[in-house]
Amino acid sequence: MNLTQLFGIHAVQAALDYSPQKIRRAWIDSQRQDVRLKQVIDDLIKLGINPEKTERKKLEKMADGKNHQGIVVAVELPAMRSEDQLKHDVEALTSTPFYLVLDQVQDPHNLGACLRTADAVGAHGVIVTKDNAAGITPTVCKVASGAAETVPVYQVTNLARVLRWLKEQNIWIMGAAGEAEQTVFQMKLDMPLAVVMGTEGTGMRHLTRQHCDFLVKIPMAGQVESLNVSVAAGVLLYEVFRQKLLA
């Protein structure tokens, strides 16, 4: 069984809400008592999981020194979904499709951060490549802070084929490229959309770029040439989200 540890009330509550069957063990700060933590503990006990009272120093070690808010749980890693599952889920949608596509993004911290943003903007899923790319790992789950449990991650072997299929479903493909003529803020984006981000450093592959309906860039006023891929994804996704709210 492939387990990872989640910590913090928000992350644990997300696991309770979306995948309670995957929670295996729980540890709580023996000295901490507050209403939010008590509610989470009560929910765990209802599942038949009795949290183990633990010293704060041990919890800090389990959480790699990060803010655990008095609770750590061991959960099974979320499963990656397949291309067939993606097609099924897209066809079953009753709202405007909204996806993030990562073309060979290899840093698990970037994938985790992208999942967290995808959850925040209500994206229907994140599509990743099988080769030369990060998958669901303990690091991804920790960075995602619960979003790995709420956002479907689809792993595909042939991204170009998937992008062609998405276009056949009337989903527009928007690629991020620094050399694009138009900025993301100049585009009308309240339509079925998949936002494509390239790998760290080199961007989208040539074939991926060819399957984009249009390219956009993020305007830059400073001296650096580009943003971190997860930061750039956040800017693009939130612009789409902003326009959807206005619409």
Side-chain angles (χ1 to χ4, degrees):
M1 186 183 299
N2 199 0
L3 298 179
T4 187
Q5 290 177 348
L6 299 179
F7 50 84
I9 292 173
H10 176 75
V12 175
Q13 189 62 61
L16 284 164
D17 290 342
Y18 296 99
S19 55
Q21 73 282 359
K22 294 184 178 180
I23 302 174
R24 293 291 174 262
R25 294 180 66 184
W27 299 265
I28 58 171
D29 185 345
S30 58
Q31 303 298 316
R32 179 164 176 162
Q33 294 182 344
D34 59 65
V35 174
R36 291 181 65 202
L37 182 58
K38 184 179 184 303
Q39 181 60 59
V40 173
I41 293 171
D42 289 344
D43 290 343
L44 287 167
I45 292 173
K46 289 177 184 177
L47 287 176
I49 298 171
N50 291 309
E52 303 171 30
K53 293 185 177 181
T54 308
E55 291 184 359
R56 185 173 301 174
K57 287 185 178 180
K58 182 178 179 180
L59 289 179
E60 290 174 353
K61 185 176 181 180
M62 295 170 73
D64 295 327
K66 298 182 177 65
N67 184 17
H68 51 72
Q69 296 179 298
I71 188 164
V72 176
V73 297
V75 299
E76 290 183 50
L77 286 174
M80 305 281 281
R81 303 192 186 190
S82 67
E83 183 175 331
D84 286 341
Q85 288 174 303
L86 170 65
K87 291 180 178 180
H88 174 273
D89 292 348
V90 169
E91 291 171 346
L93 284 177
T94 57
S95 56
T96 304
F98 183 19
Y99 288 89
L100 173 64
V101 181
L102 301 177
D103 185 15
Q104 295 193 338
V105 170
Q106 300 176 17
D107 187 340
H109 292 87
N110 279 331
L111 176 56
C114 285
L115 285 172
R116 192 168 183 176
T117 302
D119 175 87
V121 300
H124 293 111
V126 175
I127 301 168
V128 302
T129 51
K130 184 175 182 180
D131 297 327
N132 302 315
I136 298 296
T137 65
T139 298
V140 170
C141 290
K142 289 176 183 177
V143 175
S145 298
E149 299 290 341
T150 62
V151 179
V153 180
Y154 303 94
Q155 190 178 61
V156 302
T157 55
N158 188 322
L159 183 57
R161 179 179 64 208
V162 169
L163 293 178
R164 284 196 300 270
W165 184 85
L166 290 174
K167 293 169 76 167
E168 290 171 0
Q169 311 313 304
N170 298 314
I171 298 175
W172 291 79
I173 311 298
M174 179 180 81
E179 68 277 13
E181 293 183 2
Q182 292 183 304
T183 75
V184 65
F185 305 123
Q186 295 173 308
M187 304 297 296
K188 182 175 175 61
L189 301 173
D190 58 339
M191 70 279 211
L193 189 67
V195 178
V196 185
M197 308 294 303
T199 186
E200 302 90 348
T202 57
M204 291 182 293
R205 288 174 293 171
H206 179 68
L207 187 58
T208 303
R209 183 188 300 260
Q210 285 185 323
H211 284 84
C212 293
D213 292 305
F214 58 96
L215 301 176
V216 299
K217 64 182 178 181
I218 298 172
M220 306 282 290
Q223 300 301 311
V224 297
E225 294 183 358
S226 63
L227 296 172
N228 171 279
V229 64
S230 62
V231 174
V235 173
L236 299 181
L237 293 178
Y238 260 97
E239 176 58 18
V240 177
F241 183 49
R242 184 189 70 84
Q243 294 192 26
K244 287 179 177 293
L245 288 177
L246 292 176

